[in-house]
């Protein structure tokens, strides 16, 4: 049929009826059995760009200000963040400058996003830039949650109360203001789930494509998001099938959703194959080094998982059963899908530990995606409550407010954490945490790194004059703002760096920068006496609590091969393996 309702004439097929000739169908005829809105805008909530902009600006400013106080004044700073900032500096200012400084041992997106802020070295090497990326994406998360609340018909005052109560959660505030990378992928996956939320409500196929694009970007920020992506693809196909869509629509929509992420991962895999010779290096090279006490049995893993939810995201203990009851009792399909997402977020850290994919126990930061998804689930419950939407929203606010002191107290003593205890101590005492100890026994602060960097900036000149293992000394490099000062494992690659380590004087370097507190530093392994300050051929120039700078005389001759310590170097991506610890001493119309 034509758009006017008059039947189209097809002279060729009408004149010579032939069953072998396919009939020409109009757009309207092709869409008769399509259950989604295609080519037309369905009824949806009114756009409120100024409201979204206001929420974004408020939380961005709040987390930037709080982050400045936390990082710059309290010295609660994550070494993982400094590692990424140093890599971003090396993109522009290393000798030679190269994009490969991004590395393959971590998802690359966060480093690429922060790179523009490091074009000016004085700005890029300051602690003030640390909270920028996490604050931006935390603010984006709040905007997406507000849009979901609007779709749930929650009134503006109650929406703002939900956002304020969530934003004040101490665990979320730490990672939103502390510069950690976790919030980037969490935010992008929240965008994707928010788009699926909108698709389920409006049946507008464009939201499926938005979700697919969001997942594709999120996959380059955190590989954990790939699990959510797979579940999202199953959701799209399952919802369409249950709605009565034919196979063509199910297949086309699912492929459209999945294509961007599949393409991005395929491209990243090819780059790993071409540059590293290992197509899955992006999965294996970033594994955290094994630590004592991580060989856990099933009972211990279950206990840690329960404690993670109980103290880090207690809201999930209310939302998950409610989603299951509402989904099963009322035939609310999306409630069951959100319950599945929540279960995956809870189970993922346990599976990582059980399969040996991480050398750490379940950390408190693993509760972050559980907390955010719990809020999304509660928003859907509010939408499904009909006339009791306001009541459900009020209960959500109350639950979030009660969890603030509960989680804050747990952060002081939770056994498996990064900077949570230092964060709690800074808020309680209003005193700098420089030199304090975390629950795990690591030292907080960057005074040692800043002191060594100041000395190098004042007394050392010349490109590539300091030989160092950048995988362990990256905080010092970052604070100098001049990565070209160092001969590192990125400059010319791993092979030339190894040659320089074998014969520093022959490579033309004047100094060795060695780390003291780690066994991972390849130079420290080669020159243990220099680290201890007892090597008469490599005189100590300057020392801090974590690093030592030694001189390399022009006539220095390396010891004979049989006198050198055994080299335990492992295959490397060029950046080495760094710790993923945050802030510790571096060790590296509804669809039915």
């Amino acid at each position: 049929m034509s758009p006017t309702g008059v039947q189209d004439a097809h002279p060729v097929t009408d004149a010579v009826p032939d069953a072998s000739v396919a009939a020409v169908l109009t757009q309207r005829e092709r869409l008769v059995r399509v259950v989604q809105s295609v080519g037309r805008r369905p009824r949806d909530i009114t756009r409120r760009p100024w409201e979204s902009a206001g929420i974004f600006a408020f939380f961005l400013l709040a987390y930037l200000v709080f982050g400045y106080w936390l990082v710059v004044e309290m010295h609660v700073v994550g070494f993982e963040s400094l590692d990424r900032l140093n890599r971003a500096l090396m993109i522009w200012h290393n000798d030679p400058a190269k994009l490969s400084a991004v590395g393959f041992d971590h998802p690359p997106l966060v480093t690429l996003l922060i790179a523009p802020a490091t074009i000016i070295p004085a700005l890029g090497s300051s602690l003030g830039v640390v909270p920028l990326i996490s604050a931006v994406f935390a603010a984006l998360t709040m905007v997406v949650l507000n849009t979901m609340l609007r779709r749930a018909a929650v009134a503006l005052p109650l929406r703002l109360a939900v956002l304020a109560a969530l934003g004040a959660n101490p665990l979320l505030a730490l990672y939103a203001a502390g510069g950690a990378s976790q919030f980037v992928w969490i935010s992008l996956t929240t965008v994707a789930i928010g788009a699926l939320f909108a698709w389920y409500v409006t049946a507008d196929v464009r939201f499926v494509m938005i979700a697919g694009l969001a997942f594709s970007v999120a996959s380059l920020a955190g590989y954990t998001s790939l699990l959510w992506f797979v579940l999202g693809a199953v959701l799209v196909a399952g919802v369409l099938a249950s709605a009565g869509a034919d196979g063509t629509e199910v297949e086309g929509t699912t492929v459209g959703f999945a294509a961007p992420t599949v393409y991005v991962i395929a491209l990243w895999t090819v780059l790993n194959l071409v540059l590293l010779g290992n197509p899955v290096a992006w999965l294996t090279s970033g594994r955290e080094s094994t630590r004592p006490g991580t060989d856990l049995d099933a009972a211990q893993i279950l206990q840690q998982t329960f404690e993670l939810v109980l103290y880090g995201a207690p809201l999930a203990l209310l939302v998950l059963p409610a989603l299951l009851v509402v989904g099963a009792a009322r035939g609310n399909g999306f409630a069951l899908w959100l319950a599945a997402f929540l279960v995956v977020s809870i189970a993922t850290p346990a599976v990582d530990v059980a399969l040996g994919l991480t050398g750490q126990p379940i950390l408190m930061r693993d509760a972050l995606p559980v907390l955010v998804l719990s809020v999304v689930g509660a928003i859907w419950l509010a939408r499904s409550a009909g006339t009791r939407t306001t009541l459900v929203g009020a209960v959500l606010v109350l639950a979030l407010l009660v969890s603030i002191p509960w989680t804050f107290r747990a952060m002081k003593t939770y056994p498996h954490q990064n900077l949570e205890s230092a964060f709690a101590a800074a808020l309680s005492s209003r005193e700098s945490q420089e030199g304090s100890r975390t629950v795990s026994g690591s030292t907080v602060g960057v005074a040692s790194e800043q002191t060594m960097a100041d000395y190098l900036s004042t007394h050392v000149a010349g490109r590539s004059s300091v030989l160092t293992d950048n995988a362990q000394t990256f905080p010092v490099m970052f604070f100098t703002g001049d990565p070209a000062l160092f001969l590192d494992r990125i400059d010319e690659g791993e092979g030339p760096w190894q040659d320089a380590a074998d014969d520093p004087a022959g490579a033309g370097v004047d100094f060795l920068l060695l780390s003291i507190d780690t066994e991972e530093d390849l130079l420290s392994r080669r020159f243990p006496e220099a680290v201890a300050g007892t090597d008469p051929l490599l005189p100590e120039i300057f020392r801090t609590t974590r690093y030592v700078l030694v001189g390399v005389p022009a006539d220095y001759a390396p010891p004979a091969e049989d006198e050198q310590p055994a080299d335990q170097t492992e295959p490397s991506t060029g950046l080495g393996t760094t710790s993923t610890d945050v802030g510790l001493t571096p060790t590296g119309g509804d669809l039915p």
Side-chain angles (χ1 to χ4, degrees):
M1 300 292 289
S2 68
T4 60
V6 180
Q7 185 172 357
D8 294 328
H10 305 299
V12 175
T13 56
D14 289 346
V16 184
D18 187 348
S20 65
V21 178
V24 177
L25 300 178
T26 65
Q27 176 74 357
R28 179 174 296 184
E29 289 172 326
R30 283 196 296 270
L31 298 179
V32 167
R33 297 185 60 193
V34 175
V35 302
Q36 300 171 95
S37 297
V38 181
R40 61 185 185 277
R41 184 180 297 278
R43 294 186 60 183
D44 194 10
I45 55 175
T46 304
R47 294 181 178 179
R48 297 182 183 176
W50 289 109
E51 179 179 309
S52 297
I55 289 172
F56 181 85
F58 173 81
F59 281 102
L60 175 62
L61 181 61
Y63 286 132
L64 284 177
V65 172
F66 182 64
Y68 182 89
W69 174 83
L70 182 68
V71 173
V72 178
E73 298 184 12
M74 296 294 103
H75 280 202
V76 181
V77 55
F79 277 89
E80 180 190 18
S81 301
L82 299 185
D83 182 20
R84 297 182 193 279
L85 282 166
N86 184 60
R87 297 181 189 214
L89 269 173
M90 295 170 78
I91 292 174
W92 308 106
H93 306 292
N94 201 15
D95 182 26
K98 55 175 67 175
L99 187 61
S100 61
V102 172
F104 292 88
D105 52 340
H106 293 297
L109 182 63
V110 180
T111 304
L112 293 174
L113 288 174
I114 199 65
T118 62
I119 294 178
I120 302 174
L123 173 64
S125 60
S126 66
L127 285 177
V129 77
V130 170
L132 179 60
I133 286 295
S134 60
V136 167
F137 282 89
L140 175 61
T141 302
M142 295 300 176
V143 172
V144 175
L145 292 176
N146 179 66
T147 303
M148 292 188 206
L149 286 163
R150 288 178 57 212
R151 282 201 167 87
V154 177
L156 177 61
L158 196 54
R159 294 204 305 272
L160 297 179
V162 170
L163 298 180
L166 176 62
N169 181 280
L171 186 64
L172 186 143
L174 168 60
Y175 287 90
S181 62
Q182 282 78 14
F183 238 112
V184 178
W185 75 264
I186 290 173
S187 176
L188 292 169
T189 50
T190 304
V191 170
I193 292 175
L196 293 176
F197 187 120
W199 169 68
Y200 196 88
V201 170
T202 65
D204 189 343
V205 70
R206 292 175 302 166
F207 287 117
V208 178
M209 304 305 133
I210 292 172
L213 289 173
F215 271 125
S216 69
V217 181
S219 66
L220 292 180
Y223 300 140
T224 302
S225 62
L226 292 174
L227 297 175
W228 297 18
F229 158 73
V230 172
L231 185 57
V234 177
L235 182 158
V236 170
V239 168
L240 288 176
S242 65
D246 63 16
T248 301
E249 184 179 3
V250 175
E251 179 183 355
T253 306
T254 305
V255 169
F257 168 83
T261 303
V262 172
Y263 174 79
V264 164
I265 294 301
L267 180 61
W268 189 232
T269 300
V270 170
L271 286 175
N272 277 256
L273 174 62
V274 172
L275 298 178
L276 302 179
N278 180 6
V280 294
W282 58 277
L283 282 176
T284 58
S285 63
R287 290 176 58 177
E288 301 168 14
S289 57
T290 303
R291 301 183 175 191
T294 58
D295 187 14
L296 305 176
D297 58 31
Q300 291 173 312
I301 293 174
L302 289 175
Q303 179 183 353
Q304 287 189 10
T305 301
F306 175 75
E307 291 175 349
L308 176 75
V309 177
L310 177 63
Y311 296 112
L315 180 65
L317 298 176
L318 299 176
V319 172
L320 181 56
L323 287 172
L324 293 173
V325 169
V326 170
R330 301 184 182 179
N332 191 323
F334 200 68
L336 294 177
W337 284 111
L338 287 177
F341 274 105
L342 191 51
V343 169
V344 168
S345 68
I346 294 171
T348 298
V351 172
D352 286 345
V353 172
L355 297 181
L357 300 179
T358 176
Q360 296 180 331
I362 299 174
L363 300 175
M364 196 171 189
R365 70 183 181 194
D366 294 327
L368 266 179
V370 181
L371 174 62
V372 174
L373 270 177
S374 297
V375 173
V376 174
I379 293 172
W380 183 258
L381 291 173
R383 188 184 187 279
S384 303
T387 58
R388 292 174 291 183
T389 294
T390 300
L391 175 61
V392 176
V395 172
L396 173 59
V397 173
L398 180 61
L400 288 171
L401 290 174
V402 170
S403 69
I404 291 175
W406 174 261
T407 299
F408 183 74
R409 182 176 180 181
M411 292 172 74
K412 298 179 180 180
T413 58
Y414 195 83
H416 310 299
Q417 56 168 276
N418 294 317
L419 279 177
E420 285 82 357
S421 61
F423 171 84
L427 283 180
S428 299
S429 66
R430 304 295 195 274
E431 296 178 355
S432 173
Q433 296 303 297
E434 181 66 49
S436 65
R437 307 288 288 186
T438 66
V439 171
S440 60
S442 299
T443 304
V444 179
V446 291
S448 179
E449 287 73 20
Q450 290 175 319
T451 301
M452 179 60 77
D454 290 343
Y455 183 88
L456 289 170
S457 298
T458 304
H459 297 92
V460 178
R463 290 178 175 270
S464 301
S465 58
V466 182
L467 181 65
T468 193
D469 180 359
N470 56 282
Q472 306 305 321
T473 60
F474 59 85
V476 177
M477 297 176 63
F478 166 74
F479 283 117
T480 65
D482 185 14
L485 189 67
F486 303 87
L487 177 57
D488 53 66
R489 295 162 66 180
I490 298 301
D491 288 352
E492 301 296 340
E494 193 75 15
W497 184 89
Q498 294 283 0
D499 293 339
D502 290 336
D503 184 10
V509 301
D510 300 316
F511 305 93
L512 303 180
L513 177 61
L514 308 168
S515 58
I516 295 173
D517 296 335
T518 174
E519 297 179 357
E520 300 297 326
D521 191 310
L522 300 186
L523 281 183
S524 296
R525 291 183 185 180
R526 287 175 178 264
F527 303 101
E529 293 182 354
V531 174
T534 59
D535 191 333
L537 301 180
L538 296 172
E540 179 179 313
I541 305 298
F542 189 71
R543 178 181 293 269
T544 67
T545 56
R546 294 175 179 166
Y547 307 93
V548 60
L549 182 71
V550 300
V552 180
D555 59 351
Y556 172 76
E561 185 174 348
D562 57 353
E563 298 177 9
Q564 293 185 10
D567 184 15
Q568 303 175 19
T569 304
E570 297 178 357
S572 169
T573 63
L575 280 163
T577 302
T578 59
S579 171
T580 56
D581 283 356
V582 183
L584 308 183
T585 303
T587 62
D590 296 3
L591 291 171

